[in-house]
Every structure is written in C-alpha cells, then in structure tokens.
C-alpha cells in the first residue's frame, strides 16, 4: 500500500514537471511562462520528495529539509522575479 502510494506521488510529480513545460510554447508573456513553469516544477518536486519520504522513511530529516527549502526558495524567487519585472516610473 505504501509502495503504491509512493509510486503515485513520484509519478504525479513527473506529470507536473512535463505539464509545466507546455506553457513555454504559448504566446503569453515571459513572466506568465516563468510563473507557470515554476509553480508546476515546485509542486512536482515536492510530490516526488513526498513519494521518496514514503519510500525511505529513515531519511525523513533530510527529505523534510529539502521540502522546506524548496518551498521557501521558490517563494522568494517568485517575489524577486515579480519585483524585477515592475516598470520603474521614477527612473
């Protein structure tokens, strides 16, 4: 049961990784493309890490640290991209 759930989470993460690349082919803005790619990659990576956590529970401190750092890093990166993309009217 746990093995099947682990494989499901890892497979779902791979699907999210590939699903996040499809907006790169569209005609939307670069920021929209980066946003959709980063969200899909973050959720996919977190899903894969959750699957690994179920598969090898003795490594939970390392995998939990990876989950937390992934969530924090991608959130901060999103804010930095949003800040850098603002039009500067005072310059």
């Amino acid at each position: 049961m746990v093995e099947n759930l682990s494989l499901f989470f890892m497979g779902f993460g791979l699907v999210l990784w590939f699903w996040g690349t499809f907006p790169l082919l569209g005609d939307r803005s670069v920021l929209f493309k980066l946003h959709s790619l980063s969200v899909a990659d973050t959720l996919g990576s977190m899903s894969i890490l959750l699957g690994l956590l179920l598969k090898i529970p003795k490594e939970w401190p390392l995998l939990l640290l990876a989950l937390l750092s992934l969530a924090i890093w991608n959130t901060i990166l999103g804010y930095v991209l949003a800040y850098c993309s603002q039009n500067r009217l005072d310059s």
Side-chain angles (χ1 to χ4, degrees):
M1 176 67 182
V2 174
E3 181 72 25
N4 290 336
L5 194 58
S6 171
L7 289 175
F8 169 76
F9 279 122
M10 288 192 280
F12 183 66
L14 286 174
V15 167
L16 284 174
W17 274 359
F18 287 113
W19 183 53
T21 59
F22 290 127
L24 295 176
L25 303 173
D27 293 335
R28 313 260 337 237
S29 71
V30 173
L31 293 176
F32 177 83
K33 292 176 183 182
L34 281 175
H35 173 70
S36 59
L37 179 66
S38 67
V39 167
D41 283 348
T42 301
L43 292 176
S45 298
M46 290 177 133
S47 178
I48 290 171
L49 284 172
L50 187 61
L52 286 173
L53 185 64
L54 291 173
K55 193 174 213 44
I56 45 175
K58 66 178 182 173
E59 298 292 335
W60 74 268
L62 183 62
L63 292 171
L64 187 62
L65 179 64
L67 272 170
L68 289 174
S69 61
L70 181 67
I72 291 170
W73 169 253
N74 283 332
T75 303
I76 290 174
L77 181 63
Y79 282 121
V80 168
L81 282 174
Y83 179 77
C84 292
S85 68
Q86 291 176 351
N87 292 329
R88 297 282 181 198
L89 297 177
D90 15 311
S91 302

